[in-house]
Amino acid sequence: MNDVQFSPSLMTMNLDKFKEEIRFLNDHVDSYHIDIMDGHYVPNISLSPWFIEEVRKISDVSMSAHLMVTQPSFWVQQLIDIKCEWICIHAEVLDGLAFRLIDQIHEAGLKAGIVLNPETPVETIYPYIPLLDKVTIMTVDPGFAGQKFIDGTLEKIVQLRELRETNDYKYLIEMDGSSNRKSFAKIDEAGPDIYIVGRSGLFGLTENIETSWQTMMTDYKEMTGKKYYKE
C-alpha cells in the first residue's frame, strides 16, 4: 500500500472558519471524512449530503461519507446522486442489504466501505470482504467526538492487514477515533492506511488551522519516527 493518509473529520472543524480551514487543508490531505448521523443509530444529528455539496464548491479533495444511520438505503442513493467518492456503511445495519448496496455503489462508479464498531468482529464482514474498497475500524464508540481510545480495537487493524496480504484483497484500512499525539505510536504499530483526525488530533490544537496542522505533523513525526508525505 501507499504512504499513510490523513482524513480530517469535518464534523469537528471550526465552522465559522469554514472556507479558511478547507482552503488550507485542500493542499495537505488525501480525503475529507463526513459524518452523517440520523439521530437514531446514534443520538446525535450531524452533517448531510448538502454539506458535501458545500465543501465541493471550494474543494476537489475526495469525500468519504460515514453513515451512522439506521436506513442506509435512503442515504446511499442521495450520496450516489451527488457522486460522493466513498460511501461507508456500518456493518451492524446491513443484514440482508450488504451485497445489494455494495453493488449499487460500485455500479455508480463509486467506492464502497464498511465500518465496524468496537465490539463488532471482523468475521462479521467475511461474506463480502472481497468486494470492499475500504474497511473502517472504530477505535471509539460511534456518535461523539472526544472519547477515550479503545486499545483492543487495534487488533482488528492487524487482522485486516493479514487478511489482505493472504488473500490479495484491495481494501484500504482506516481507523476512526481519538487519533492524536497520545495514540499515534500505537496506531502506527497496528498499521492502518488512513488516520481520521478530529478535534483532539487537529482542529482543537490551536486557534489557527495552519499552526494546528504543523503541530499535528510534529506530533506524528515525534511519536512514530515517520514523516507524512504531504506535510
Side-chain angles (χ1 to χ4, degrees):
M1 291 290 169
N2 295 325
D3 295 296
V4 68
Q5 302 178 18
F6 280 89
S7 183
S9 174
L10 298 190
M11 179 182 75
T12 61
M13 72 183 298
N14 189 343
L15 290 179
D16 63 0
K17 297 181 179 179
F18 173 80
K19 290 185 178 179
E20 173 189 337
E21 296 193 345
I22 292 295
R23 285 174 174 155
F24 173 81
L25 291 169
N26 284 341
D27 295 327
H28 296 276
V29 303
D30 300 278
S31 64
Y32 289 127
H33 182 84
I34 315 294
D35 286 310
I36 297 178
M37 306 179 190
D38 64 357
H40 298 286
Y41 184 73
V42 292
N44 283 346
I45 296 175
S46 186
L47 306 178
S48 69
W50 170 86
F51 183 84
I52 293 174
E53 293 183 288
E54 291 300 301
V55 177
R56 279 234 173 91
K57 294 177 180 178
I58 55 173
S59 177
D60 59 4
V61 172
S62 176
M63 306 284 179
S64 181
H66 173 192
L67 292 177
M68 284 178 267
V69 301
T70 55
Q71 296 182 348
S73 299
F74 172 78
W75 296 94
V76 164
Q77 188 55 55
Q78 289 192 56
L79 293 164
I80 286 173
D81 290 343
I82 64 170
K83 300 189 184 304
C84 181
E85 289 87 352
W86 296 83
I87 302 175
C88 304
I89 311 167
H90 270 267
E92 298 83 8
V93 298
L94 271 181
D95 187 28
L97 294 172
F99 288 95
R100 189 185 327 164
L101 290 180
I102 292 169
D103 285 348
Q104 185 180 354
I105 293 167
H106 284 159
E107 287 170 3
L110 306 172
K111 294 182 179 180
I114 291 297
V115 187
L116 297 177
N117 280 338
E119 68 272 25
T120 305
V122 172
E123 286 78 8
T124 301
I125 64 173
Y126 275 7
Y128 49 86
I129 197 170
L131 305 176
L132 299 177
D133 302 297
K134 181 164 69 175
V135 182
T136 302
I137 297 301
M138 296 297 298
T139 52
V140 299
D141 286 331
F144 297 91
Q147 295 186 70
K148 182 180 178 181
F149 193 97
I150 302 170
D151 288 359
T153 58
L154 295 173
E155 297 173 5
K156 290 191 281 188
I157 293 173
V158 175
Q159 182 181 357
L160 284 166
R161 281 199 295 109
E162 293 172 350
L163 282 168
R164 184 172 65 187
E165 292 168 7
T166 301
N167 298 283
D168 197 30
Y169 294 147
K170 304 301 181 185
Y171 54 75
L172 295 175
I173 304 167
E174 180 175 73
M175 61 72 54
D176 182 3
S178 294
S179 177
N180 53 45
R181 182 178 180 87
K182 293 181 179 179
S183 58
F184 279 149
K186 55 189 174 186
I187 296 169
D188 176 70
E189 185 175 354
D193 305 300
I194 306 170
Y195 289 62
I196 295 172
V197 288
R199 189 172 296 127
S200 67
L202 174 60
F203 291 110
L205 297 180
T206 73
E207 293 297 319
N208 176 273
I209 187 60
E210 184 172 355
T211 306
S212 293
W213 178 264
Q214 292 168 350
T215 300
M216 185 180 75
M217 290 293 97
T218 298
D219 289 345
Y220 176 72
K221 186 175 182 179
E222 289 181 352
M223 302 311 293
T224 69
K226 298 176 181 178
K227 184 177 179 180
Y228 177 48
Y229 81 108
K230 294 181 75 172
E231 181 178 334

